[in-house]
Amino acid sequence: MQEANVIRSLSALAHEARLRVFRALVAGPEGLTPSALAEQLGIAPNALSFHLKELFHADLVSQERQGRNVLYRAAFPVMNELLAYLTENCCQGAVCTTDTATSCHC
């Protein structure tokens, strides 16, 4: 993952509502409609629309039209790339455990 994409993703997640939306979408691959997300998270629909747009532009969520509804899903491949980027140098390439992480002086 390129550094610019990492920054864009982290910037999108650096807001309480967007982080909550992303975490709700990560809960399952089936996705959720904006109305279901708004109800579940207690976010006003117009604010939710803005936050979904920001997450979409950061490539963290995908959208699919199903009839009259739009279904939003977490972009798991992008999430995995982001996590891999953030942990790439962790424990100098060794498998991370509590022991190696606490003794790592990177």
Side-chain angles (χ1 to χ4, degrees):
M1 180 174 240
Q2 294 182 357
E3 196 170 88
N5 295 343
V6 171
I7 292 167
R8 188 176 66 222
S9 294
L10 292 175
S11 295
L13 292 171
H15 185 280
E16 180 183 351
R18 287 191 290 271
L19 183 60
R20 290 176 58 220
V21 169
F22 186 73
R23 292 188 71 211
L25 291 173
V26 169
E30 62 278 350
L32 293 167
T33 63
S35 58
L37 279 167
E39 184 178 322
Q40 179 180 337
L41 300 174
I43 298 174
N46 60 339
L48 179 64
S49 176
F50 171 77
H51 296 308
L52 285 167
K53 178 184 65 115
E54 292 296 310
L55 291 168
F56 179 77
H57 288 307
D59 297 325
L60 291 168
V61 300
S62 65
Q63 57 184 4
E64 176 188 336
R65 181 153 298 281
Q66 288 190 341
R68 296 173 143 197
N69 295 318
V70 176
L71 194 63
Y72 285 88
R73 292 185 179 98
F76 290 101
V78 175
M79 179 191 74
N80 289 333
E81 286 180 37
L82 177 61
L83 292 171
Y85 180 90
L86 292 172
T87 60
E88 180 179 16
N89 297 319
C90 184
C91 299
Q92 300 165 341
V95 174
C96 293
T97 65
T98 304
D99 294 335
T100 58
T102 56
S103 64
C104 182
H105 301 288
C106 308

